[in-house]
Amino acid sequence: MVSKLLKIKEALTIQSFFSVVGMTGFEPATPRPPDVYSNRAELHPELLTYFASRLHVLSLNFARSKIVISCRVNRFIVILFLVFVAATGAFAQKKYTISGYVKDISNGENSIGATVYIKELLKGTTTNAYGFYSITIQEGDYTMVVSYVGYKDIEKKVTLNKNLQFNFEIEEDVITTEEFKVVGEREDKNTQEAVMSTVELEVQKVKSLPAIFGEIDVLKTIQLLPGVQSAGEGNAGFYVRGGGPDQNLILLDGAAIYNASHLFGFFSVFNADAIKDIKLIKGGMPAEYGGRLSSVLDITMNDGNFKEYKVDGGIGLISSRLTVQGPIKKDTASFIISGRRTYIGDLVQPFISDSSKFKGSNYYFYDLNAKFNYILSRKDRLYLSGYFGRDVFTFVNKDDGFSMNTPWGNSTVSLRWNHLFNDKLFLNTSAIYTNYKFEVELGQNDFEFKLYSGIRDWNAKLDFNYLPSILHNVKFGANYIFHKFIPSNATAESGDVEFNTGDIVINYANDMALYLSDDWDINEKLKVHGGLRYSAFQHVGPFKRYNNDEFGNPKDTVVYDKGETVKFYHGLEPRFTMRYAFNDANSVKASFTQNYQYIHLASFASVSLPTDVWVPSTDLVAPQFSTQYAVGYFKNLKENKYETSIEMYYKDMQNQIEYKDGALPKDNAGNNVDNAFTFGRGWSYGAELFFKKRYGKLNGWIGYTLSWTKRNFEELNNGLDFYTRYDRRHDASIVLTWELSKRWSLGATWVYATGNALTLPVSRYFVNGQLVNEYGERNWYRMAPYHRMDLSLTLKGKEEKKFKSSWNFSVYNVYNRQNPYFIYFTSEGNIYEGSLDIMAKQVSLFGIIPSVTWNFSF
């Protein structure tokens, strides 16, 4: 009878339950299979009726007698208490935890994002950034399944009657037929996870695509995704959902990269041979990330091979690269060192005549990635990684006695310690140093001029990951950054004479944050991610505030002592994402995100250049603030072979920054750079469509974005709304890879984008012999649309036991499209003869460019 009245998962407590309340003669209910979503008792309607009748008796007795509650009432109170405790899980079946790490069997590297789930429950988790997983469920007999993209599944039978630890080593699946399914990622991940506006790229996919000059480029690959727009022809800069280039948080092993490009933006600083994982977040940003409005590009370096020594490299037309990795102590410690350098400038030097006035001019860039990691114990692991990169541009004109040397670049060091407190609580502690600097050294005869700027960070982070049950994934932590900003300082001298260019201006700031988030699997239909981030920013002395009059001339100076607060900002940043699943193949998702950004990139150009300067929020510059709403429909087809989605978004951005009209970089010397700023707001909205074929010999994706991006500044464009330069009404891409045979594979990309907006004169005329330009509204003119096709063909060499090689042939801009890079004006004839003709001319940067690269590995 009791099985009809009360179903409680812990049958052991049933007998004592009724003996306490004086109801004997009942037998415990037969335990039923575990329900992953609830530990609560299931109350039968008849039992609820019984409870209601007891409550009625209680109220009558109390009203009539107003005496001490009887034994029967005592029993009823006990019933209510025990039912409440049972409903909250006190009598739930005992739970245990399975935890461990997932690694690649071939090299011992941790597998990020591997799926670990319980087959009987169809529920599980994914490994974190360090390969760790934890699943807490009720005791019983289960089948564990481990899967990862491109790897064979592992199944393991377990009897869960105590906490267990299992480390899994997964093996690559070499099957490449049309029937082969990519089982390494959860097949319904697109529709079932409470994640939207997020893309994870495989490094091997990036390497298979055609690239300019054969240089594999992570940043150019993400430009092929919907919602991400390129900064221009060949440029590695990118814009996400209407945000500027400074609104993208770019991380390499947790260290911020402030200038992510080489060669004035044509190549990125990321060497694909040193990269393990690439994740782009366009919206619905989790609470552990902050400090930027638009996106997060989180890149993780390879750990290094724990099993054997390995060398990889490539020789191309303009650069070469080499990577060496291997164990320091097998299965315990490893290292990886990866370097890259261009040499096209060096190769042409012998062909430049000694009599040429440009003899000695050159350009090259190089970068170096290194990482060391050591497994101290089952619960502790240490990582030390670093990046150092430099561009060096040298220009010489011997006839004029003029020379210019321009080095710039990033350097980072990340020290991280992983600690496992128990099977449910994981900690990553990070100490990070970042330095970006830019210099221009000009010389002519005895005169020397130097302009330099940069930013330096000291960063400490605590990131906790708590997994209390299979239904929750809790993350919380704290972050502190000390910033040192050096915006556009200058020195000048001629012989022994030094010129006064003003005081060296340096800004200091404290940047702090606390966060808490939870991925909560509420039921089969509904899953949510909720988070809250508290951020604070303190601009501190020593600092001098130069107050200028309305004409820009110095008026007075306010001096702040070391550590004195100049300005303090703080705020809450809520984050929310939900997924409602209609079934395994269809779901809708929505997200709401608010972000503060306390540091800003001041740029004189429409693309990110080394001359751009990073500045903090000050008493004049309020932090940028954005609110983004997104909603999407996600559908998988043909048993998850195809993924489709449509996302719509609206983003509002406050306190946007631009230079005032007429401002120049030299104006920053001996002055506060923010005195040249003007402030406004921006907004962007649009829709993104995505279609992807996940596996097969022919696979790839099609992306399309329809969007609008506008700004409004009181001091610009007469206070009227205007489209940004990177506003693109239409942006489309097609990306395909086709495995022709075991040795031959083809890659192809095609892109189309509405032309950039720019400001051109609406009329030009002469006044007293002087040419006068009359301008219309800001960015009123559209350049011609941009479109281009690239192809690549890869031939794998005959595999030997140790040595592997391949040839990559690629063609950039196959049909030689002359895409506009910029427009300038020229004139012919004579105004006095009435033959003056003013013409606008388009400059195109790259036509068709073939390249070849030889890659090797042993």
Side-chain angles (χ1 to χ4, degrees):
M1 177 179 179
V2 72
S3 61
K4 295 181 179 180
L5 297 179
L6 180 64
K7 297 178 181 178
I8 300 179
K9 295 187 178 98
E10 180 55 55
L12 185 61
T13 65
I14 300 293
Q15 189 69 45
S16 57
F17 177 98
F18 289 106
S19 65
V20 169
V21 299
M23 299 173 64
T24 59
F26 295 99
E27 296 297 329
T30 302
R32 62 189 180 89
D35 177 4
V36 70
Y37 285 107
S38 178
N39 296 319
R40 299 173 177 83
E42 296 183 5
L43 299 180
H44 193 276
E46 293 180 28
L47 186 59
L48 294 176
T49 303
Y50 170 77
F51 286 154
S53 68
R54 307 302 290 181
L55 183 59
H56 179 65
V57 171
L58 170 64
S59 61
L60 288 178
N61 288 341
F62 184 79
R64 291 173 183 174
S65 59
K66 297 182 181 180
I67 60 174
V68 178
I69 298 176
S70 66
C71 231
R72 177 173 295 183
V73 175
N74 285 331
R75 290 177 182 175
F76 177 72
I77 292 175
V78 173
I79 291 174
L80 288 181
F81 172 74
L82 292 177
V83 170
F84 170 77
V85 173
T88 56
F91 289 148
Q93 185 174 345
K94 193 168 181 62
K95 292 185 175 182
Y96 296 101
T97 300
I98 310 172
S99 63
Y101 292 85
V102 179
K103 302 179 180 181
D104 187 321
I105 195 172
S106 65
N107 55 32
E109 290 217 17
N110 292 329
S111 300
I112 302 173
T115 301
V116 184
Y117 69 95
I118 304 301
K119 196 172 186 178
E120 290 79 4
L121 303 178
L122 294 178
K123 290 292 172 183
T125 186
T126 56
T127 56
N128 66 11
Y130 304 95
F132 176 75
Y133 74 92
S134 176
I135 298 176
T136 300
I137 52 177
Q138 298 164 8
E139 65 177 322
D141 295 327
Y142 299 103
T143 305
M144 292 182 65
V145 180
V146 181
S147 62
Y148 193 54
V149 58
Y151 288 75
K152 297 177 181 178
D153 277 6
I154 296 177
E155 290 194 7
K156 183 177 182 64
K157 299 286 186 180
V158 295
T159 297
L160 190 60
N161 52 20
K162 61 180 180 179
N163 292 335
L164 300 173
Q165 291 89 35
F166 295 118
N167 294 331
F168 293 97
E169 292 189 319
I170 53 177
E171 181 181 359
E172 188 174 357
D173 198 324
V174 297
I175 303 174
T176 56
T177 64
E178 179 67 30
E179 289 73 27
F180 167 58
K181 296 185 177 182
V182 179
V183 296
E185 61 182 356
R186 180 177 171 181
E187 293 190 354
D188 57 1
K189 180 179 180 180
N190 178 54
T191 59
Q192 295 303 302
E193 289 196 351
V195 174
M196 66 182 303
S197 310
T198 299
V199 180
E200 296 183 23
L201 291 176
E202 303 168 40
V203 176
Q204 292 304 317
K205 182 75 172 181
V206 174
K207 291 182 176 182
S208 68
L209 299 177
I212 185 171
F213 297 117
E215 281 295 305
I216 299 164
D217 200 315
V218 171
L219 296 189
K220 287 192 177 65
T221 302
I222 69 169
Q223 293 172 5
L224 301 172
L225 299 169
V228 183
Q229 298 163 351
S230 68
E233 174 77 275
N235 202 289
F238 62 100
Y239 304 89
V240 177
R241 291 184 172 178
D246 66 320
Q247 296 175 359
N248 304 313
L249 177 62
I250 303 175
L251 300 174
L252 180 63
D253 268 3
I257 302 296
Y258 284 101
N259 189 315
S261 61
H262 287 304
L263 190 56
F264 301 98
F266 292 112
F267 302 108
S268 78
V269 300
F270 303 111
N271 182 351
D273 287 348
I275 293 173
K276 176 166 65 174
D277 186 69
I278 306 164
K279 178 190 286 187
L280 175 69
I281 303 172
K282 301 179 292 181
M285 192 183 297
E288 61 261 35
Y289 297 108
R292 303 294 189 275
L293 300 190
S294 291
S295 75
V296 177
L297 180 61
D298 195 352
I299 298 177
T300 305
M301 288 173 53
N302 283 320
D303 296 331
N305 198 312
F306 281 85
K307 306 290 185 179
E308 60 183 1
Y309 292 100
K310 188 178 180 182
V311 177
D312 301 275
I315 301 173
L317 295 178
I318 68 167
S319 70
S320 291
R321 63 190 193 278
L322 183 68
T323 301
V324 180
Q325 58 182 315
I328 299 173
K329 182 179 180 181
K330 191 171 183 180
D331 296 324
T332 302
S334 69
F335 75 95
I336 180 172
I337 299 174
S338 184
R340 177 178 58 160
R341 192 189 189 280
T342 57
Y343 40 66
I344 188 66
D346 301 319
L347 294 178
V348 300
Q349 287 298 314
F351 301 97
I352 300 178
S353 171
D354 291 337
S355 60
S356 172
K357 63 180 180 180
F358 300 117
K359 181 70 174 180
S361 298
N362 198 358
Y363 169 82
Y364 62 91
F365 72 77
Y366 62 91
D367 44 39
L368 179 70
N369 297 79
K371 191 170 185 177
F372 161 82
N373 70 97
Y374 187 81
I375 301 175
L376 303 173
S377 67
R378 190 185 73 84
K379 292 189 173 184
D380 296 279
R381 185 166 181 169
L382 199 64
Y383 298 85
L384 178 63
S385 59
Y387 167 83
F388 183 83
R390 283 291 180 270
D391 288 67
V392 179
F393 175 63
T394 303
F395 177 78
V396 176
N397 187 325
K398 293 190 298 184
D399 291 350
D400 298 331
F402 177 80
S403 65
M404 180 176 68
N405 184 41
T406 308
W408 73 92
N410 303 273
S411 55
T412 71
V413 178
S414 300
L415 176 63
R416 290 174 293 167
W417 169 50
N418 291 172
H419 178 67
L420 189 62
F421 287 97
N422 54 49
D423 295 328
K424 298 181 182 180
L425 184 60
F426 181 92
L427 167 67
N428 179 63
T429 303
S430 303
I432 300 169
Y433 171 79
T434 299
N435 184 21
Y436 168 71
K437 64 179 182 179
F438 164 77
E439 295 180 10
V440 176
E441 299 175 1
L442 304 175
Q444 189 166 21
N445 300 323
D446 290 336
F447 178 77
E448 293 182 5
F449 176 80
K450 184 177 181 180
L451 179 71
Y452 57 96
S453 63
I455 180 172
R456 194 175 298 171
D457 289 349
W458 291 264
N459 185 352
K461 293 174 62 180
L462 292 173
D463 297 295
F464 292 88
N465 191 185
Y466 177 56
L467 299 109
S469 77
I470 201 171
L471 303 180
H472 292 272
N473 187 347
V474 180
K475 296 180 180 180
F476 59 96
N479 187 20
Y480 169 77
I481 306 173
F482 179 73
H483 298 286
K484 180 180 179 181
F485 301 86
I486 309 173
S488 294
N489 289 279
T491 60
E493 61 182 51
S494 180
D496 296 330
V497 180
E498 294 186 3
F499 298 95
N500 183 11
T501 57
D503 294 335
I504 295 176
V505 178
I506 299 178
N507 293 310
Y508 302 92
N510 298 309
D511 195 340
M512 300 151 281
L514 300 170
Y515 73 88
L516 171 67
S517 68
D518 184 21
D519 289 311
W520 183 17
D521 204 345
I522 297 176
N523 56 41
E524 290 285 356
K525 298 288 186 182
L526 186 61
K527 188 174 184 178
V528 300
H529 168 86
L532 184 65
R533 183 181 182 90
Y534 170 76
S535 59
F537 190 87
Q538 180 188 32
H539 181 206
V540 297
F543 176 69
K544 289 183 179 181
R545 164 57 65 194
Y546 299 99
N547 295 314
N548 299 335
D549 59 23
E550 58 183 326
F551 303 105
N553 300 315
K555 185 172 58 175
D556 58 64
T557 303
V558 179
V559 179
Y560 295 87
D561 294 330
K562 182 177 181 180
E564 184 178 356
T565 299
V566 179
K567 189 67 177 180
F568 180 77
Y569 296 100
H570 68 109
L572 292 175
E573 305 174 33
R575 316 286 174 83
F576 178 80
T577 304
M578 62 80 64
R579 177 231 67 192
Y580 182 83
F582 300 105
N583 51 46
D584 291 342
N586 295 268
S587 68
V588 292
K589 302 180 185 181
S591 68
F592 170 80
T593 309
Q594 288 190 325
N595 296 67
Y596 281 99
Q597 179 168 330
Y598 297 101
I599 65 175
H600 322 275
L601 183 67
S603 177
F604 288 96
S606 59
V607 298
S608 179
L609 294 175
T611 52
D612 300 342
V613 295
W614 287 91
V615 295
S617 294
T618 65
D619 52 335
L620 295 185
V621 182
Q624 300 179 58
F625 179 74
S626 74
T627 301
Q628 182 176 172
Y629 310 87
V631 62
Y633 174 68
F634 300 78
K635 182 177 178 61
N636 288 1
L637 304 167
K638 298 287 186 180
E639 297 182 346
N640 301 307
K641 184 176 184 178
Y642 301 95
E643 294 180 359
T644 65
S645 66
I646 177 171
E647 294 188 37
M648 293 173 287
Y649 68 91
Y650 177 85
K651 180 162 61 177
D652 180 79
M653 295 166 282
Q654 301 293 329
N655 304 324
Q656 300 299 283
I657 295 175
E658 294 279 0
Y659 273 107
K660 295 176 182 177
D661 287 336
L664 296 172
K666 66 180 181 62
D667 299 334
N668 296 334
N671 194 3
N672 301 126
V673 63
D674 53 10
N675 284 328
F677 292 165
T678 184
F679 309 97
R681 65 176 290 260
W683 59 98
S684 179
Y685 54 92
E688 301 167 1
L689 286 78
F690 191 61
F691 175 85
K692 178 182 179 181
K693 186 172 183 286
R694 295 181 60 248
Y695 55 85
K697 289 187 175 182
L698 177 64
N699 59 75
W701 70 78
I702 300 173
Y704 170 74
T705 305
L706 174 68
S707 64
W708 291 260
T709 302
K710 288 188 174 183
R711 297 288 190 269
N712 181 278
F713 288 76
E714 185 177 345
E715 297 186 44
L716 300 178
N717 200 44
N718 297 316
L720 300 175
D721 299 346
F722 61 91
Y723 290 106
T724 63
R725 176 179 171 84
Y726 43 87
D727 168 71
R728 304 276 175 79
R729 195 69 61 249
H730 306 284
D731 198 286
S733 61
I734 300 174
V735 179
L736 298 174
T737 56
W738 186 12
E739 187 177 345
L740 303 173
S741 67
K742 289 184 177 181
R743 295 186 61 192
W744 289 94
S745 61
L746 178 70
T749 61
W750 182 80
V751 294
Y752 174 91
T754 300
N756 282 347
L758 71 159
T759 306
L760 293 180
V762 294
S763 63
R764 310 184 88 190
Y765 50 87
F766 283 87
V767 176
N768 297 326
Q770 298 294 321
L771 182 64
V772 177
N773 294 317
E774 182 179 346
Y775 290 91
E777 291 190 5
R778 194 179 184 94
N779 295 337
W780 66 272
Y781 180 80
R782 289 279 180 180
M783 290 198 287
Y786 181 96
H787 55 89
R788 188 192 79 244
M789 175 181 283
D790 307 329
L791 294 175
S792 70
L793 188 64
T794 301
L795 171 63
K796 294 181 181 179
K798 293 182 179 180
E799 290 193 13
E800 300 178 8
K801 187 174 182 180
K802 293 280 187 179
F803 188 83
K804 297 179 182 178
S805 66
S806 66
W807 287 91
N808 180 269
F809 308 92
S810 65
V811 181
Y812 180 89
N813 196 2
V814 171
Y815 50 81
N816 200 31
R817 163 73 175 177
Q818 298 301 301
N819 287 300
Y821 189 64
F822 65 85
I823 293 175
Y824 72 97
F825 288 88
T826 186
S827 60
E828 295 180 0
N830 191 304
I831 186 175
Y832 300 106
E833 298 176 357
S835 61
L836 181 66
D837 185 18
I838 300 175
M839 297 173 292
K841 292 189 176 182
Q842 171 185 301
V843 174
S844 298
L845 198 60
F846 297 127
I848 183 171
I849 302 176
S851 61
V852 58
T853 303
W854 179 61
N855 301 298
F856 58 88
S857 175
F858 59 88

